[in-house]
Amino acid sequence: GAGEVGLRAGSDLVLLAGDKGRGLAKTPRRSGLRNLRERAAALGGSFEVVSEDGLGTRLRWRIPLPR
């Protein structure tokens, strides 16, 4: 299915990505998602994944920007 990607910058840098596909598998290989989570945490940010069967997946990766 078609996907969307967005990028916002202000006090934080936020990367949003999503699709309307089938969602993540019940037991997917998660090393890439773990890498994104660890990189965000190392920079004081966060990483969230929302996936629903048949409704797609949404990712949000956020880090604070230096002032």
Side-chain angles (χ1 to χ4, degrees):
E4 298 178 7
V5 175
L7 184 65
R8 293 192 313 240
S11 59
D12 294 336
L13 178 67
V14 180
L15 173 64
L16 303 164
D19 67 26
K20 296 187 192 280
R22 60 185 173 160
L24 294 175
K26 296 289 184 207
T27 57
R29 185 169 168 229
R30 305 268 178 155
S31 60
L33 298 178
R34 183 176 57 242
N35 185 9
L36 287 168
R37 184 171 283 110
E38 289 172 356
R39 287 175 183 256
L43 295 168
S46 62
F47 176 66
E48 301 162 353
V49 177
V50 176
S51 181
E52 299 177 47
D53 287 344
L55 298 177
T57 303
R58 293 180 304 282
L59 309 175
R60 181 178 179 271
W61 191 84
R62 183 200 61 79
I63 59 168
L65 292 175
R67 300 203 180 262

